[in-house]
Every structure is written in C-alpha cells, then in structure tokens.
C-alpha cells in the first residue's frame, strides 16, 4: 500500500520555516507536519510557504500546554490555545491536529493535574475540532515525558472517557518501542481510529540506525488499511518541539534521507507485490 511521506518541522529546531520547507522539498518529501508559533505567523503565510514548494500540510504539532492541570487558569489557557490551533489549522486545509499530555520535568517534581481534567479538556477541544471539520489526534508519549497516556491501551480507555468520535489515535514508533509490549498489536488495536503514524528508530534516529524491525509495523498498517501519511520524526536527544537544543543539520538530513529511501523502496516493493 503506497502512502505519502512527510517530515515534522520541529526537528529542524530554530531553522527558519522557509529554509526548512526548502530543504524538505528538495529532499523529495510529499508534505509536512507543521510546528509554528501561531501568535507570530499568519496561516496564509504558512500555507503559501509549503504550497509554493509543492508540499502538503498533513498535520500540526502543538506547543507544550497543560490540558490536565488542576490550576483552572492554566487549563483554560491550554484549551484556548488548542482552539486557536484548530482554527489556524482549518485555514491550512484539513490537517490533523495532534494533542498530547503536558510534557513534564520528571526530576522529583509533583504534578498537579488529573486524567479526568485532561479528558474534560480534550472533549471540549475535540468538539471544537469536529465543528471545524478537523480531526484531533491524541498521541501517547512515554513515562519520561508524561504520566497518564503511555500506550495504545491507555489511549483507547481514554477515548471512552472523552466520549467523542472525533478523537483519534496517533502512534509514534519511538514511543511505542519504549512502552508497548507489542507495537504491532498496538497498531492493530487502534485500527480505523489510527489517524497518524510517526516514525523514527529506537534511538530516534533514521530507519536502520536502531534496532526496530519496521516490516511488521507496515504489515499491520496494511492490515488495518491505513492510508494516511508516514511522518518521519527523527530528533536530537532531549529535543522537544519547543526546546532550544542545538541540532546538527547534516546529521538530521542523513537521518531523514536514509528514512525516506527506506520508505520509498518499501512503497515500491509493496506496489510490486500488489501488482
């Protein structure tokens, strides 16, 4: 099954968005998952930057805000941010808006929040997304970043709490490698609720630089008839979307090009098998 291939823009760190788009287009990607400061750039400018280079906008990465906080003001601020992000995304087309728990400093800190508050917030923003004809994709992270939603079973139980069909699942191969007993079963478990699949190897480098066997992943994606994009998300250690970690652009390009080659060959091989 041939799928479009994209790359998330946050892995380029502080690189200018225009320069990032130019690199991604020249490398031969089909599109992007976009991370931008929505208070500092206009939707039309983001749309034009990628459209002018023949790139689709598949999805959007959020800033790190706390939808589950027990601090009412923080939680309302987070909800308002996601509503603005959804409205921003609606002007770019129909990108999936990714959401997740608050990424926390786990070094002895106590978290003041709950999964119940998180679900209430997600229900509100999911309804807002539905009204805008935008899918909301919830991404389980891992124990080093968050507390509640770590794997596919957590996500499915969480969807029952949210109780809105517009909430879908985003699975990331790197996080699954840390948390899932069986990533293949995780993909099958999410089934038609899987809206986005993100990929990097076990060390968050390009495909082939770690120990994950991705062939069973793609067999599972075929089994559930996943037709969405494959988003490459290779990153520097300790890098998150809003972090100021310095990146090695040449190393990033190597990770991305190696992954793109593998995925392109995978698409070709699968097409031959189908034929």
């Amino acid at each position: 099954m041939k799928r479009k291939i994209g790359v998330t823009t946050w892995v380029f760190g502080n690189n200018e968005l225009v320069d990032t788009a130019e690199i991604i287009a020249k490398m031969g990607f089909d599109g992007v998952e976009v991370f931008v400061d929505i208070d500092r750039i206009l939707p039309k400018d983001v749309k034009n930057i990628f459209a002018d280079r023949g790139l689709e906008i598949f999805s959007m990465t959020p800033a790190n805000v706390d939808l589950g906080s027990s601090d009412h003001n923080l939680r309302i601020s987070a909800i308002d941010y996601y509503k603005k992000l959804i409205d921003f995304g609606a002007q770019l087309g129909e990108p999936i808006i990714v959401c997740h728990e608050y990424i926390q400093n786990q070094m002895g800190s106590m978290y003041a929040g709950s999964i119940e508050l998180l679900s209430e917030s997600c229900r509100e923003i999911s309804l807002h997304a539905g009204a805008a004809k935008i899918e909301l994709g919830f991404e389980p992270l891992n124990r080093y970043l968050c507390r509640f939603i770590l794997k596919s079973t957590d996500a499915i139980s969480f969807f029952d709490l949210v109780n809105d069909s517009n909430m879908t699942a985003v699975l990331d191969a790197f996080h699954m490698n840390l948390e899932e007993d069986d990533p293949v079963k995780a993909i099958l478990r999410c089934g038609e609720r899987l809206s986005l699949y993100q990929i990097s190897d076990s060390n968050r480098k390009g495909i082939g630089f770690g120990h994950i066997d991705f062939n069973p992943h793609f067999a599972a994606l075929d089994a559930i008839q996943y037709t969405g994009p494959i988003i490459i998300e290779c990153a520097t250690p300790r890098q998150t979307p809003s972090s100021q970690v310095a990146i090695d652009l040449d190393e990033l390009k190597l990770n991305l090009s190696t992954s793109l080659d593998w995925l392109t060959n995978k698409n070709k091989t699968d097409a031959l098998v189908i034929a």
Side-chain angles (χ1 to χ4, degrees), residues 133-194:
K133 295 182 171 55
I134 293 286
E135 272 191 309
L136 193 67
F138 196 94
E139 180 183 1
L141 300 178
N142 65 69
R143 69 192 69 192
Y144 305 108
L145 298 178
C146 63
R147 283 172 166 77
F148 303 125
I149 318 297
L150 306 182
K151 52 189 178 179
S152 57
T153 50
D154 298 333
I156 290 170
S157 296
F158 182 67
F159 294 158
D160 290 338
L161 280 177
V162 174
N163 193 27
D164 185 71
S165 60
N166 194 51
M167 178 71 78
T168 60
V170 176
L171 292 180
D172 182 302
F174 172 77
H175 298 307
M176 285 197 290
N177 179 65
L178 291 172
E179 297 294 348
E180 295 285 355
D181 297 330
D182 187 336
V184 170
K185 288 182 179 178
I187 293 169
L188 296 173
R189 185 177 292 121
C190 288
E192 63 183 11
R193 294 198 78 159
L194 181 66

Side-chain angles (χ1 to χ4, degrees), residues 88-101:
F88 190 105
Q91 296 182 66
L92 305 180
E94 296 182 351
I96 295 162
I97 303 297
V98 179
C99 67
H100 52 66
E101 283 185 65

